[in-house]
């Protein structure tokens, strides 16, 4: 290994930095800072891309969920319409059946009243017959 030779001028530069050596040192420091900034920029861009992908995935999940909910709402609306139509139909049928039952009850009541009158008349006649036979 060869030992570099040193002269007085080199030694003087080591003791008191010249403007050129300071500029070179500042340039090295600036290059190091620039490398760190480049690294940070790359890292932040990668992080931004990961975040964008993650957010797109979340948005897609929300869109899928919204689509499913909209489909469920459409199904529930159809079900509600069918149920409403059934209720309307049953209400009409109920009104008709009530009218039929009322007519039947009125007819049955009329028959019962007539039977009761007939029974009363028969009782009266039987009593008359018994009274005439006992006489």
């Amino acid at each position: 290994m060869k030992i570099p030779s040193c002269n007085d001028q080199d030694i003087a530069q080591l003791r008191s930095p010249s403007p050129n050596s300071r500029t070179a040192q500042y340039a090295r420091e600036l290059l190091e800072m620039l490398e760190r900034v480049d690294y940070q920029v790359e890292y932040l861009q990668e992080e931004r891309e990961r975040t964008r992908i993650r957010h797109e995935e979340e948005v897609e999940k929300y869109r899928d969920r919204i689509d499913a909910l909209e489909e469920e709402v459409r199904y529930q609306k159809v079900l509600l319409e069918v149920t409403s139509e059934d209720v309307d139909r049953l209400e009409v049928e109920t009104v008709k059946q009530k009218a039929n039952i009322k007519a039947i009850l009125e007819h049955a009541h009329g028959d019962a009243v007539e039977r009761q009158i007939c029974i009363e008349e028969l009782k009266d006649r039987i009593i008359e017959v018994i009274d005439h036979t006992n006489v």
Side-chain angles (χ1 to χ4, degrees):
M1 176 187 262
K2 186 177 174 185
I3 300 176
S5 66
C6 292
N7 59 30
D8 289 339
Q9 191 178 12
D10 290 337
I11 293 173
Q13 283 181 354
L14 289 174
R15 289 187 190 152
S16 64
S18 70
N20 287 340
S21 67
R22 279 193 216 154
T23 303
Q25 183 179 352
Y26 290 144
R28 281 192 301 275
E29 288 175 3
L30 287 174
L31 284 173
E32 288 175 7
M33 287 173 51
L34 191 58
E35 287 176 5
R36 285 192 300 260
V37 167
D38 281 343
Y39 172 78
Q40 289 176 347
V41 166
E42 284 181 33
Y43 173 79
L44 290 173
Q45 286 175 338
E46 291 170 359
E47 184 63 25
R48 183 185 66 189
E49 183 64 18
R50 285 190 296 270
T51 302
R52 185 190 62 77
I53 291 170
R54 193 171 53 247
H55 285 173
E56 284 179 358
E57 290 170 352
E58 287 178 15
V59 166
E60 189 61 32
K61 287 179 186 177
Y62 285 124
R63 285 183 180 144
D64 291 344
R65 182 66 180 138
I66 288 169
D67 290 344
L69 289 172
E70 286 174 344
E71 182 65 30
E72 178 67 20
V73 165
R74 283 190 293 274
Y75 172 77
Q76 291 294 336
K77 281 183 177 179
V78 168
L79 187 62
L80 184 61
E81 288 172 7
V82 168
T83 302
S84 293
E85 289 171 2
D86 286 346
V87 167
D88 293 343
R89 182 183 50 79
L90 289 173
E91 285 176 345
V92 168
E93 285 180 18
T94 301
V95 168
K96 288 179 183 177
Q97 288 175 352
K98 282 182 179 180
N100 288 341
I101 291 171
K102 185 176 178 182
I104 290 170
L105 287 175
E106 287 174 356
H107 181 69
H109 179 71
D111 285 349
V113 169
E114 285 182 29
R115 270 192 301 256
Q116 189 63 33
I117 292 171
C118 288
I119 291 172
E120 291 297 323
E121 288 177 1
L122 282 173
K123 278 184 184 177
D124 290 343
R125 287 188 187 163
I126 291 172
I127 291 174
E128 283 179 18
V129 169
I130 292 176
D131 284 345
H132 278 84
T133 47
N134 283 340
V135 193

